[in-house]
Amino acid sequence: MGMFDCIFTGETTQAEMFEEVSGLVQSALDGYKVCIFAYGQTSAGKTFTMQGQRAPELQGLIPRSLNKIFEVSNEMREQGWVWTMRASFFEIYNEALRDLLPSEEVSASAAVPGGSPPIYAIKHDDVWGAIVTNMTSVNVDSMEQVHNLQSRAAKQRPVGAPNINDNSSRSHAIFALYLRGINQKLNTELCGALHLVDLAGSERLDHSGSTGERLKETQNINRSLSCLADVFLAKAERRGHVPFRNSKLTYLMEPCLSAHGKTMMLVNVCPEERNSHETLCSLRFANQVTQCNTGGRAKRGMKSLNVAVTEKPERPRASSPAPQT
């Protein structure tokens, strides 16, 4: 089938899996644009992988990544670094951007007929990679804040009930963290970004049993995942044109999937025999990802006397986390 960077079993703990990605997470503190995303069919455990549960041993990549960043940034204070961090939590639902941390004013405006909710647009930025205009951004400096943000976001995210999973996520959820560190002694500023993406699960229409609005959601999910596959295929074949603009998901991830950042894909698969077709498709996609590279030097967001510094890139990595049912 192919060579993967790491394969996890059903007995792998959340802590053991995070050890595999912790170095990439820390790259955001080094001034890089980093993206980690979970891919796989519905019910494969992507949300558990990314968010987990409140119990310490069951926490997923998002809380563990933030805890790691808080720990390392506090250690860097001894060297003169002062860090500020802002977090956003949003989703792509039916090809529309939605804020998962809306203010009371925004929520009230959206609920009123004829109201004027914010207009969200993806913009590429030299410092942060990809940003979404008008999206709520919150200063974070503690794990309690992170847990509260996760809880708020979970209440906003739509779920459905296809035949495969009674609590299936119907959108791509993105946790974005923007980091800025200043060291007056070194006259240096570092800017990094971390995007943790919980993709909606791929579904076969004949298995999902979706109708009406659920059918529309499934079609949009599959279409955007197909666009993501097209991007990796174009990169694997070294085409001159990579179709990043074919979906909001790929356009958002473009800076980290091109010559600007570092990316890792986690592939979740289901162990049951009835899911063998979807598992095979997921593993084939993962194998395709291993054939790609970012296409240039990853840009490090470091300023020292107005001189930008760049360093070598890493190719996207594909790991297969433990199946979850």
Side-chain angles (χ1 to χ4, degrees), residues 243-270:
F244 285 113
R245 290 180 176 268
N246 284 3
S247 76
K248 285 186 171 62
L249 174 65
T250 53
Y251 189 51
L252 177 73
M253 296 172 67
E254 180 179 358
C256 285
L257 294 178
S258 59
H260 297 279
K262 304 182 178 185
T263 301
M264 174 184 285
M265 180 177 76
L266 299 168
V267 181
N268 294 73
V269 297
C270 294

Side-chain angles (χ1 to χ4, degrees), residues 24-35:
L24 189 62
V25 168
Q26 189 167 330
S27 290
L29 278 171
D30 296 330
Y32 290 100
K33 305 170 186 68
V34 176
C35 179

Side-chain angles (χ1 to χ4, degrees), residues 51-312:
Q51 300 191 41
Q53 298 176 9
R54 190 66 182 263
E57 69 275 10
L58 298 179
Q59 290 180 0
L61 288 186
I62 292 176
R64 290 179 186 274
S65 296
L66 270 292
N67 188 59
K68 174 76 171 181
I69 285 174
F70 289 149
E71 286 182 354
V72 176
S73 62
N74 284 332
E75 293 172 0
M76 293 176 70
R77 290 182 186 276
E78 298 179 2
Q79 304 167 16
W81 288 97
V82 178
W83 288 92
T84 56
M85 304 175 197
R86 298 189 66 84
S88 293
F89 214 148
F90 55 95
E91 68 179 356
I92 301 173
Y93 174 70
N94 284 344
E95 276 301 290
L97 293 160
R98 299 190 357 175
D99 194 347
L100 294 179
L101 303 173
S103 64
E104 293 182 1
E105 293 80 6
V106 169
S107 297
S109 175
V112 175
S116 55
I119 298 175
Y120 305 116
I122 299 170
K123 290 190 175 182
H124 289 176
D125 183 89
D126 287 340
V127 176
W128 307 117
I131 60 174
V132 180
T133 60
N134 298 318
M135 196 63 69
T136 300
S137 179
V138 182
N139 276 314
V140 291
D141 57 16
S142 72
M143 287 306 300
E144 188 62 29
Q145 282 181 295
V146 174
H147 292 311
N148 290 338
L149 293 180
Q150 282 189 272
S151 297
R152 284 176 57 188
K155 295 176 182 178
Q156 297 285 335
R157 195 177 180 192
V159 296
N163 291 341
I164 302 173
N165 186 354
D166 290 338
N167 194 36
S168 173
S169 300
R170 312 305 294 163
S171 66
H172 308 305
I174 300 98
F175 181 90
L177 184 70
Y178 305 101
L179 310 89
R180 173 177 274 121
I182 296 176
N183 191 316
Q184 297 290 353
K185 298 178 182 178
L186 301 177
N187 191 28
T188 300
E189 178 185 71
L190 284 174
C191 292
L194 176 65
H195 287 82
L196 301 172
V197 184
D198 175 12
L199 296 176
S202 59
E203 297 177 14
R204 293 172 61 185
L205 292 178
D206 56 341
H207 283 191
S208 70
S210 299
T211 59
E213 188 64 24
R214 290 290 175 260
L215 176 60
K216 178 183 176 182
E217 291 172 346
T218 300
Q219 290 171 331
N220 277 305
I221 289 169
N222 288 345
R223 187 178 298 114
S224 63
L225 293 176
S226 178
C227 290
L228 183 63
D230 289 342
V231 163
F232 281 111
L233 178 60
K235 293 183 72 65
E237 294 181 349
R238 302 182 184 278
R239 298 179 191 169
H241 171 71
V242 180
F244 285 113
R245 290 180 176 268
N246 284 3
S247 76
K248 285 186 171 62
L249 174 65
T250 53
Y251 189 51
L252 177 73
M253 296 172 67
E254 180 179 358
C256 285
L257 294 178
S258 59
H260 297 279
K262 304 182 178 185
T263 301
M264 174 184 285
M265 180 177 76
L266 299 168
V267 181
N268 294 73
V269 297
C270 294
E272 298 86 0
E273 184 177 352
R274 68 176 183 271
N275 294 309
S276 59
H277 176 80
E278 288 81 0
T279 295
L280 185 59
C281 290
S282 295
L283 292 177
R284 284 173 174 165
F285 179 55
N287 186 55
Q288 185 180 91
V289 171
T290 64
Q291 310 304 313
C292 303
N293 58 54
T294 55
R297 293 180 177 274
K299 294 183 178 180
R300 190 181 187 197
M302 183 172 72
K303 296 180 180 178
S304 179
L305 299 177
N306 298 319
V307 176
V309 178
T310 60
E311 294 188 0
K312 293 183 178 180

